[in-house]
Amino acid sequence: MPKRLALPVASYAVLLVSALQTLVVPVVANIQADLGVSATAASWVVTANLLAAAVFTPMLGRLGDLHGRRPVMLGVLVVVLAGSVLAAATTSLPLLIVARVAQATSFGLFPLSIGVLREELPPAKLTGAMAIVSGMLAVGAGLGLTVTGLLMQNGGDYHQLFWLATVLSAVGIAGVSCLPRRKAVATGRLDGVGAAVLGLALVLLILPLEEGNDWGWGSARVIGSLVAAIVVFAIFVVIERRISQPLVTTRMLTHRPIVIANAAGLFLGFSMFAVFLAVSYLVQTPPGPTGYGFGSTVLAAGVVYLLPGTAGGVITAPLGGRLVGRFGAKAALVISGALALLGFAMLAVLHDETWEVIAGAAIVNTAVMFGYAALPALLIQHVTPAETGIANSVNSIARSVGMSIGTAFVVTMLTRNLIPGAPLPHESQYVWIFIVGAALAGAAAILVALALPRSRPVALSVREVEEEEVFGAAGLEIPAELVKKSAS
């Protein structure tokens, strides 16, 4: 029975990750008004969460490899529960930011959940299971926006969202407690220096992306932070090459399939948040002064326009798994890019009718689902079980950076060159957002098609999987004949 719980528990944990991320996004203005703070100060409720996630995620993924996924997941959920209670009870912005930092540990649940699936499921079921769990990232994001709309209609109190998060975290603790205890798959210790340097580099990268509109995109703070991020990343690579038990191995930084997987993750994160935000703002625009839009409420924007695409993930996520299982991760990623190109192009040209916006957003969300289904399968083909957590953690960071870029890009496009007399963007600004999304989708599809080595799905036997785990857990190099069978 515990083994049968692996998939539903992992799916729930990952759904919780993305729901916690998006629950707060629509209520930043409510928090600002309730606490009597500036818009910039209130935005730190979101920014602090993303920055803390960038620091925690690789550390938690590695801790799961070293000490077992189940205890680390329980520890994470306890911290998330405590943060949710604090956020629900406080009326202080500093304490709310502390609570959101605690909730940021939830980002580590995704790589930990993928590791649980690799431990508990037979090879024949692993690809489909990872696809379902990965699809929960998009489903949870849409669910978070929808629940926020429902709870906040008619002037609801945003504290309700955090009480809901408390209940959801408690359910997660109960579910993870039912998972079987397993030995750690890696030995050694956490590379604390590497984790600290990587965390600093990610903060320097994400902070200007989140604050660029307030600081000015050409300001010394933005440019200086981005340059500093490059320098610190370079220092991180040097450090990792010189220690015996690095947080991220050199092969993980240079192996082409893993590099492309992270680039694809960045694009998928961009696509998901770009379509969420752009469609949400577009349909809420009053058509009177602008000549476009639907004058929709926040609730209708989530339920009518975005929920169909994200809720459809219950179907499209398993379909993505079958796609990966039959044609391989490379084919699934190419199809994902092609679908995103189609969806963004459709939105750029057709957005005057409700069905057009729903269909375009659903196509992009389906593309994200297919891409998310392919990435874990691609990664585990090229890393040992002892590296599963950190490899998926790095990919999670790539997606988070993509989400930050997508958010910053949409907000920047929609706050410049406003219609005279109305604080609203021109229709052409939305069109350009969708055109850029289509262009990036096409570029991602071409990159994967040309640069990713040809792969074909290969199911390992139980014996081969056991051998791979033995070698990986012992920190030994896997024999060449086993690598040929397990990696495409």
Side-chain angles (χ1 to χ4, degrees):
M1 180 60 73
K3 278 181 173 290
R4 294 181 181 179
L5 291 175
L7 179 55
V9 169
S11 298
Y12 180 84
V14 172
L15 186 145
L16 177 63
V17 173
S18 51
L20 287 175
Q21 186 178 3
T22 56
L23 274 175
V24 181
V25 173
V27 297
V28 173
N30 302 73
I31 293 173
Q32 175 191 353
D34 184 71
L35 301 183
V37 298
S38 67
T40 300
S43 69
W44 274 92
V45 174
V46 175
T47 303
N49 181 263
L50 288 171
L51 295 179
V55 176
F56 290 142
T57 303
M59 296 175 61
L60 292 170
R62 182 59 176 163
L63 285 174
D65 292 337
L66 292 171
H67 301 291
R69 276 88 190 217
R70 180 181 179 273
V72 177
M73 289 179 75
L74 285 173
V76 166
L77 285 165
V78 168
V79 173
V80 172
L81 176 66
S84 300
V85 171
L86 176 59
T90 189
T91 55
S92 162
L93 180 62
L95 289 179
L96 181 57
I97 291 174
V98 170
R100 289 290 288 163
V101 168
Q103 286 185 326
T105 58
S106 66
F107 281 69
L109 292 174
F110 176 75
L112 292 168
S113 296
I114 295 297
V116 166
L117 295 181
R118 190 171 191 177
E119 287 177 335
E120 302 299 332
L121 299 184
K125 296 182 179 181
L126 184 56
T127 297
M130 289 191 302
I132 293 172
V133 169
S134 298
M136 290 303 105
L137 288 168
V139 173
L143 181 64
L145 293 173
T146 302
V147 169
T148 298
L150 288 170
L151 292 180
M152 294 302 295
Q153 62 179 334
N154 302 321
D157 182 2
Y158 71 87
H159 289 91
Q160 298 177 77
L161 300 174
F162 295 117
W163 285 122
L164 174 62
T166 301
V167 174
L168 295 177
S169 301
V171 172
I173 291 173
V176 172
S177 298
C178 297
L179 293 176
R181 299 175 184 271
R182 299 294 182 198
K183 293 182 179 180
V185 297
T187 58
R189 58 183 178 81
L190 178 67
D191 173 18
V193 174
V197 175
L198 177 60
L200 175 60
L202 291 168
V203 168
L204 290 170
L205 175 62
I206 294 176
L207 183 59
L209 297 178
E210 290 295 310
E211 298 295 315
N213 281 310
D214 292 326
W215 292 356
W217 289 104
S219 68
R221 282 191 288 181
V222 167
I223 295 174
S225 293
L226 293 176
V227 171
I230 295 172
V231 173
V232 178
F233 271 123
I235 294 173
F236 170 73
V237 173
V238 172
I239 292 173
E240 296 301 278
R241 285 179 173 176
R242 293 186 176 183
I243 62 177
S244 58
Q245 295 179 332
L247 180 69
V248 180
T249 63
T250 304
R251 183 175 64 86
M252 206 178 294
L253 297 172
T254 58
H255 191 39
R256 186 191 299 177
I258 299 177
V259 172
I260 292 177
N262 292 332
L266 189 147
F267 161 72
L268 291 169
F270 173 93
S271 296
M272 186 170 76
F273 265 57
V275 78
F276 275 159
L277 292 174
V279 167
S280 181
Y281 288 142
L282 173 67
V283 301
Q284 290 180 67
T285 301
T290 61
Y292 70 92
F294 301 91
S296 171
T297 63
V298 174
L299 177 60
V303 174
V304 176
Y305 294 92
L306 294 175
L307 185 60
T310 54
V314 176
I315 298 173
T316 55
L319 181 60
R322 292 188 178 184
L323 195 66
V324 175
R326 179 155 189 185
F327 300 106
K330 176 178 179 177
L333 282 173
V334 172
I335 293 172
S336 171
L339 280 176
L341 170 60
L342 175 63
F344 277 120
M346 179 177 178
L347 287 170
V349 178
L350 303 172
H351 50 259
D352 294 329
E353 301 291 338
T354 296
W355 73 267
E356 295 171 346
V357 178
I358 294 174
I363 292 172
V364 175
N365 279 319
T366 299
V368 172
M369 295 283 187
F370 285 177
Y372 279 175
L375 289 178
L378 178 61
L379 288 171
I380 69 166
Q381 289 176 356
H382 297 279
V383 300
T384 67
E387 296 175 322
T388 299
I390 187 61
N392 280 284
S393 295
V394 172
N395 194 253
S396 295
I397 292 169
R399 287 196 301 273
S400 296
V401 172
M403 292 173 189
S404 298
I405 294 173
T407 301
F409 174 67
V410 171
V411 171
T412 299
M413 288 294 295
L414 299 184
T415 54
R416 305 169 77 90
N417 303 320
L418 301 181
I419 296 174
L424 296 168
H426 295 272
E427 183 179 6
S428 61
Q429 291 166 255
Y430 286 101
V431 173
W432 274 110
I433 290 172
F434 299 136
I435 289 174
V436 170
L440 291 176
I446 293 171
L447 173 65
V448 171
L450 297 180
L452 192 64
R454 179 180 297 180
S455 64
R456 56 187 178 88
V458 179
L460 300 181
S461 70
V462 174
R463 171 71 176 276
E464 288 164 348
V465 171
E466 289 174 349
E467 288 175 355
E468 183 185 0
E469 291 183 351
V470 168
F471 281 101
L476 301 175
E477 182 178 357
I478 301 174
E481 63 271 15
L482 185 57
V483 173
K484 290 178 181 178
K485 294 179 181 179
S486 64
S488 301

